[in-house]
Amino acid sequence: MSDLIGLFNLLAPFFGLIGLGFFCGKVVKQPEAGLAWMQFFLIYVALPCLFYRLIADKPLDELANWPFIAATTFSTFCAFVLSFATGWRYTRELPQSVMQGVAGSYSNIGYMGPPLILAAIGASASAPVVLIFVFDNLFLFSVVPLLMSMAGLDKLTLPATIRRIVWRVVTHPFNVATAIGITASYLHLQLPGPADQMVTWLSGAAAPCALFILGVTVALRPLRKMPGEVPALVFIKLILHPLLVWVVLSAIGDFGPAWTYAAMIMAALPPALNIFVISTQYNVGVERASACVLVGTLVSMFTLTGVLYLTTKTGALPYDLFP
């Protein structure tokens, strides 16, 4: 019983902030444009500070675990392929299927992942959290523009598409913060006192802002109709994806409980709000994206609780299937 109470105390603030944002989005009549500055603050200021803080004090050898990177990215690729095939079965349209591929494979690794996993496992999980975040983003933000270009939505030649992908990856604020953090780790740099305090405050603001924005955004886009493929996509995202991570990591090597459990929890997170952002950018499957985020977030209240309970609370799931 104490384990369940501890788990409730761990998860309640996260889903509580999403619920608070949802409530405010339904009750307070503010224009959606009001979210713009909060989203800018989150993406360009708060979350980069959080990722800098996670990386800057880590030894570089922890951030060069290539077998772990290969295993987790391959698992995300498999979830993407399964979700893409599911979308194709229902829509027979390449752009729609790409969006479904993202919905079934891209976790809320930026908003929920770091604060939740660090609270559940501790500082030892910060390196795997950062690696999954960086390389899942590199994979998905590369494959989506390429496939959309093949579908004719980008209106760019293949070389121009590749150049744009490289530019966006290099200049993305999360990746810039990661690079600065790696540099600070390598050079053993310490921020001046006032700057360090600002980074601490800003990194602490990232999770509350992100979860509140998620709730408001979902509230502003009510689910009018459940697309037929959503249950399958949610199953792939919340059940199959963490199972894939567990099996692949176990097959490749012994990464230890902190790294393996962190990767499983990252995979078990609900679909990311970025799915809606990407679908809006291409004007493809916006309603489907909203449905996936809403249903996935609601269902994850139970599935994510189960994964956390079986890993961090009871250890009922061995971290290595093939010892």
Side-chain angles (χ1 to χ4, degrees), residues 9-239:
N9 290 336
L10 173 66
L11 287 172
F14 291 89
F15 288 109
L17 281 169
I18 295 173
L20 178 61
F22 185 87
F23 174 79
C24 292
K26 287 292 187 183
V27 173
V28 181
K29 303 304 178 184
Q30 293 287 344
E32 186 175 345
L35 288 174
W37 271 110
M38 284 191 72
Q39 291 169 340
F40 179 88
F41 169 77
L42 183 64
I43 294 171
Y44 287 90
V45 182
L47 280 171
C49 286
L50 174 61
F51 279 91
Y52 172 85
R53 178 65 70 204
L54 289 175
I55 296 170
D57 61 347
K58 294 290 174 298
L60 282 184
D61 57 347
E62 286 191 26
L63 301 175
N65 194 330
W66 296 110
F68 178 86
I69 293 167
T72 53
T73 307
F74 175 74
S75 300
T76 299
F77 167 77
C78 291
F80 178 87
V81 171
L82 288 170
S83 303
F84 179 92
T86 300
W88 183 261
R89 178 175 178 270
Y90 278 88
T91 66
R92 302 293 176 179
E93 296 178 14
L94 179 56
Q96 294 277 10
S97 301
V98 173
M99 289 299 101
Q100 306 306 62
V102 176
S105 60
Y106 188 39
S107 301
N108 202 329
I109 52 178
Y111 292 4
M112 286 185 72
L116 175 61
I117 294 170
L118 292 179
I121 298 177
S124 60
S126 58
V129 165
V130 168
L131 291 176
I132 291 170
F133 176 84
V134 170
F135 285 93
D136 271 16
N137 275 332
L138 286 175
F139 165 67
L140 289 164
F141 289 136
S142 299
V143 73
V144 170
L146 280 175
L147 291 175
M148 286 304 190
S149 179
M150 290 173 58
L153 293 187
D154 258 348
K155 310 299 182 185
L156 295 174
T157 64
L158 182 59
T161 299
I162 293 173
R163 286 195 299 271
R164 188 163 74 171
I165 291 169
V166 171
W167 175 251
R168 286 181 175 178
V169 167
V170 169
T171 60
H172 193 286
F174 297 169
N175 295 333
V176 171
T178 299
I180 295 173
I182 291 172
T183 303
S185 172
Y186 177 73
L187 298 177
H188 303 287
L189 297 178
Q190 295 290 331
L191 291 174
D196 185 67
Q197 184 63 63
M198 286 180 63
V199 169
T200 300
W201 284 348
L202 290 169
S203 61
C209 285
L211 297 172
F212 183 83
I213 288 173
L214 174 58
V216 173
T217 304
V218 170
L220 295 178
R221 295 171 182 85
L223 181 60
R224 296 181 179 88
K225 184 178 72 172
M226 172 75 77
E229 71 275 17
V230 167
L233 294 173
V234 170
F235 177 77
I236 293 169
K237 177 75 230 48
L238 301 181
I239 304 297

